[in-house]
Amino acid sequence: MNIKATIDELAELKQQGKLIKDKIDLKTKELQEQCISVFEDKNIKTTEVYGTNNNSAIATYSQKVEILNYQALENIIDKNLLSEKIERRQEIKYDIDEKFKEAIIIFYTNDYMKDLTIEELVKIEFSELDNKVQNLLMKKLKGNYKADKKLLRKYISDKDLDVELFTINKIKNYDKVKAFFNVDDKELKENLKRYISLDETVKITIKYEDL
């Protein structure tokens, strides 16, 4: 094949790739909107949906924190904690410690539950399981959608678990947020919302078998 033909073929492949990318972006947006409807219907933030031939997608809210006023944050959050958990770059960007960032997001969005424990949830929601399995779940459930779902599917296969998994996540979130913040401090929460911004989008992860 001469160089002219190679250029033409590569150009055609790139054109086809752009068309395919546009179609992928369009279908991803469509799936995001469909998953948002599922979230709103079930009052959850993560779900796994299925196609055929082992095709599936995990949809979850992706959350990004941006600091708007670091100096003001120093007036409402301990300065030593901020300096330990947030790295200030020369170009005035901030790298936030992952656990601290997660706690900020949880606190900001009220995405926690403090009036229910994992032990109580297991006893209520999985009462059909024997004590040995219940005790195992109490120890092993961590608030991670994929890992917790895999664990629960070993013992429960006849019902949708999204609501239970969401509740487990909120219970575990309480431990994460209270490590840094007093969750009952309403003034702190309101001030925090003035000095940081939170961007939420639906993240889609597609799983499929290679051809």
Side-chain angles (χ1 to χ4, degrees):
M1 182 180 291
N2 61 41
I3 191 168
K4 182 177 180 179
T6 301
I7 291 171
D8 290 343
E9 184 175 349
L10 183 57
E12 182 180 353
L13 289 171
K14 283 185 172 292
Q15 289 172 338
Q16 292 175 358
K18 184 180 183 304
L19 289 174
I20 291 172
K21 182 181 181 302
D22 289 343
K23 289 182 180 180
I24 290 173
D25 290 343
L26 180 63
K27 286 300 174 182
T28 298
K29 184 178 179 182
E30 183 180 326
L31 183 58
Q32 286 175 330
E33 292 171 352
Q34 292 169 334
C35 288
I36 287 173
S37 296
V38 175
F39 292 159
E40 292 174 347
D41 182 54
K42 294 184 176 181
N43 191 28
I44 58 176
K45 286 190 175 181
T46 304
T47 189
E48 186 170 16
V49 289
Y50 299 91
T52 56
N53 300 323
N54 293 320
N55 296 331
S56 67
I58 291 181
T60 187
Y61 273 110
S62 175
Q63 299 164 312
K64 180 181 178 182
V65 171
E66 180 181 352
I67 294 175
L68 304 177
N69 191 330
Y70 184 88
Q71 286 70 32
L73 279 179
E74 290 183 320
N75 295 326
I76 63 172
I77 299 177
D78 180 77
K79 291 183 180 180
N80 293 327
L81 176 61
L82 286 179
S83 63
E84 179 184 344
K85 299 300 179 182
I86 299 178
E87 177 186 348
R88 184 174 181 176
R89 296 181 183 173
Q90 190 63 36
E91 63 270 26
I92 315 300
K93 291 186 178 181
Y94 299 94
D95 283 338
I96 309 175
D97 173 87
E98 284 301 317
K99 289 184 178 179
F100 187 58
K101 179 169 67 175
E102 187 177 16
I104 287 176
I105 292 172
I106 294 167
F107 191 46
Y108 188 106
T109 58
N110 296 310
D111 191 21
Y112 57 87
M113 184 176 294
K114 65 177 183 177
D115 298 324
L116 185 68
T117 66
I118 288 293
E119 290 77 11
E120 291 169 338
L121 178 137
V122 169
K123 291 290 185 184
I124 295 169
E125 299 296 337
F126 309 122
S127 58
E128 72 275 16
L129 303 177
D130 62 42
N131 289 336
K132 183 178 180 181
V133 174
Q134 287 184 353
N135 289 332
L136 175 68
L137 294 180
M138 292 173 193
K139 294 178 181 178
K140 296 288 188 180
L141 291 170
K142 301 298 183 184
N144 179 286
Y145 180 90
K146 290 178 67 175
D148 289 350
K149 184 175 182 180
K150 183 178 180 180
L151 174 63
L152 289 172
R153 279 290 176 233
K154 293 179 180 179
Y155 309 102
I156 302 166
S157 59
D158 60 346
K159 70 174 182 178
D160 179 17
L161 294 168
D162 275 354
V163 174
E164 290 84 353
L165 289 164
F166 181 58
T167 305
I168 292 166
N169 177 259
K170 289 176 79 74
I171 292 171
K172 289 296 183 179
N173 278 353
Y174 179 59
D175 291 331
K176 295 176 182 178
V177 72
K178 74 177 183 179
F180 297 103
F181 303 112
N182 175 4
V183 297
D184 296 319
D185 191 337
K186 295 180 180 179
E187 183 178 358
L188 172 60
K189 187 175 294 184
E190 288 304 313
N191 284 328
L192 191 64
K193 291 182 178 181
R194 297 175 187 171
Y195 307 141
I196 68 171
S197 67
L198 180 66
D199 180 42
E200 288 190 310
T201 57
V202 176
K203 179 182 177 182
I204 303 289
T205 302
I206 298 292
K207 294 193 300 182
Y208 55 91
E209 292 185 349
D210 292 333
L211 298 176

